Amino acid sequence: MASRKSTRGAENNKGGKAQNGRFSERSKTLLLIIVVLFIVFYVRGPFRAFVQQFFVKTTQVEVSVLEDKQDAEFLLIRNEKAVSSELRGTFEKSSAEGERVNKDAVVGYLTVTTGTSLEKTERLPVTAPYTGIVSYHTDGYESICNPETWPALDLNKLVELQKGLSSGKSGENKKEGAIAPGQALFKIMDNLAEAYIFTEIPLPEGHELTVGGSVALDLAEGAPGRIRGTVTQLEQKNELTRLLIEMPPMPQLNEYRKVKGSIVVKSIEGAIVDKWVLAEKEGRKGIYLLENGIVVWQEVVIISQVGDKAVVEGLEKDDWIITMPAYVTEGQKLRFHR
């Protein structure tokens, strides 16, 4: 019995020593972490500055144009006329989508059946009302979104009406086959005439849009990329501004009535910086620069801000900006940076 108790005691002593050993190792590790954190975050002096400079990044000043854009949906307005069938029948196209035809040219044939007891079939030519481009994409807005009728339109009704019109291509509902009376067969567009774009958006204070002034649009559909136009109408309606913009002919948008995109409402040229490089000193805004390896404070004036960017005065194009101002102090020497 004494032998068993002695053995158990020895095992317990070993277990206790092992636990004490693990506890001692954890204590040392924890103490080491605390010491390191204390040195890095609380100790002021050369050591901290030496460590932090490895994380400092610099970038050269960018002199460019900062644009303030407003997302919008644009309603396309152009000289066009839809041609509808007066009779029931079947339609056969003879002109291709996008083909230019002359006035009175045959665009297709409508085959109709007449008579009661003895049925008679006729193949009637359907002609173009004027010279232009043929399109089989109609949407019922041809007589509304037309420069000739635009001055007499009730824009309040139009705005409500077009809310249900989705962006994207107009439906091609003139497929060869059965045609009901009054159904549109095709439309003719004057591809040489100026087109227009209408939109209704909130404009920020300080916007640069004026009647007769140039404006830039970026379209997401139909014609991706930048196009320029001229503001012909600018009307304030409650908190929104209605804009009518004259555009050059845009054949790439012939199949569209409504497109999404953005409009440049303001552009500012100057030194463009990220907002997080701005620092404050004695109530003044400024930026830390790196000159000959030394951190220098430069006061700046913020001209405009758009999103995370700002245009400032007080910088030269050859200046090097410190992008992490919290890691440096004025007069500090930086031997290591990125």
Side-chain angles (χ1 to χ4, degrees):
M1 293 294 292
S3 174
R4 290 178 183 176
K5 288 181 180 180
S6 175
T7 303
R8 288 173 184 167
E11 291 175 351
N12 289 337
N13 289 334
K14 289 181 181 180
K17 290 180 180 180
Q19 289 179 359
N20 290 335
R22 287 195 295 270
F23 179 78
S24 178
E25 291 175 0
R26 291 175 182 174
S27 299
K28 291 179 181 179
T29 302
L30 182 59
L31 181 60
L32 179 61
I33 292 174
I34 292 173
V35 170
V36 171
L37 290 176
F38 179 80
I39 292 174
V40 173
F41 293 104
Y42 294 95
V43 173
R44 303 287 179 176
F47 180 76
R48 183 181 183 186
F50 177 80
V51 172
Q52 286 185 336
Q53 68 178 322
F54 287 96
F55 300 94
V56 173
K57 294 182 180 180
T58 59
T59 184
Q60 197 167 17
V61 170
E62 175 192 1
V63 178
S64 185
V65 176
L66 181 63
E67 294 182 337
D68 189 357
K69 296 182 181 181
Q70 179 71 46
D71 291 337
E73 286 192 319
F74 304 103
L75 193 66
L76 301 176
I77 303 162
R78 50 196 165 223
N79 284 313
E80 58 187 359
K81 181 176 178 60
V83 177
S84 301
S85 174
E86 298 180 357
L87 303 170
R88 184 180 303 277
T90 57
F91 183 64
E92 176 188 349
K93 304 172 186 175
S94 61
S95 296
E97 174 75 29
E99 181 180 345
R100 181 174 170 81
V101 296
N102 293 323
K103 180 181 178 180
D104 298 327
V106 176
V107 177
Y109 293 90
L110 184 67
T111 301
V112 298
T113 301
T114 60
T116 52
S117 56
L118 296 176
E119 293 185 343
K120 180 181 179 181
T121 299
E122 292 185 89
R123 191 166 179 261
L124 306 175
V126 184
T127 60
Y130 52 76
T131 300
I133 300 295
V134 176
S135 177
Y136 297 100
H137 295 266
T138 63
D139 52 23
Y141 284 77
E142 287 77 18
S143 61
I144 300 175
C145 298
N146 194 300
E148 295 180 357
T149 59
W150 187 261
L153 283 180
D154 184 339
L155 292 186
N156 293 323
K157 293 182 179 179
L158 175 64
V159 169
E160 290 300 318
L161 183 64
Q162 61 93 24
K163 285 182 179 178
L165 182 65
S166 62
S167 60
K169 294 183 179 180
S170 303
E172 187 180 7
N173 55 358
K174 284 65 55 191
K175 295 179 180 179
E176 298 186 36
I179 297 295
Q183 182 175 343
L185 301 174
F186 57 87
K187 64 182 177 184
I188 300 294
M189 298 179 291
D190 185 352
N191 64 305
L192 301 180
E194 297 294 327
Y196 293 84
I197 280 181
F198 172 77
T199 189
E200 187 180 49
I201 58 173
L203 286 181
E205 292 184 8
H207 71 83
E208 300 173 344
L209 301 183
T210 58
V211 175
S214 177
V215 61
L217 308 177
D218 293 324
L219 302 184
E221 304 167 277
R226 175 148 297 184
I227 57 177
R228 301 196 71 89
T230 302
V231 178
T232 60
Q233 290 183 26
L234 191 154
E235 175 188 345
Q236 192 70 28
K237 184 67 176 179
N238 299 325
E239 297 180 355
L240 299 176
T241 302
R242 291 173 175 175
L243 294 167
L244 184 64
I245 302 168
E246 183 178 332
M247 310 296 298
M250 299 178 289
Q252 65 271 42
L253 296 177
N254 284 348
E255 299 177 6
Y256 292 80
R257 175 66 65 194
K258 192 174 183 181
V259 294
K260 293 181 179 179
S262 61
I263 179 171
V264 178
V265 298
K266 187 177 181 180
S267 57
I268 312 96
E269 184 175 1
I272 301 176
V273 299
D274 295 314
K275 283 186 179 180
W276 51 81
V277 308
L278 296 169
E280 191 166 314
K281 177 183 176 183
E282 299 175 353
R284 298 173 297 160
K285 291 290 185 180
I287 291 176
Y288 286 111
L289 304 178
L290 186 63
E291 294 183 1
N292 299 321
I294 299 176
V295 177
V296 177
W297 166 267
Q298 176 62 52
E299 185 175 354
V300 298
V301 177
I302 300 174
I303 304 302
S304 183
Q305 296 185 23
V306 178
D308 291 331
K309 299 287 185 178
V311 177
V312 300
E313 282 185 353
L315 299 179
E316 303 292 337
K317 65 178 181 179
D318 295 328
D319 288 338
W320 282 88
I321 297 173
I322 294 174
T323 62
M324 308 175 76
Y327 281 24
V328 298
T329 57
E330 186 177 7
Q332 178 182 349
K333 291 184 178 181
L334 290 183
R335 296 180 181 180
F336 309 99
H337 60 86
R338 292 178 287 172

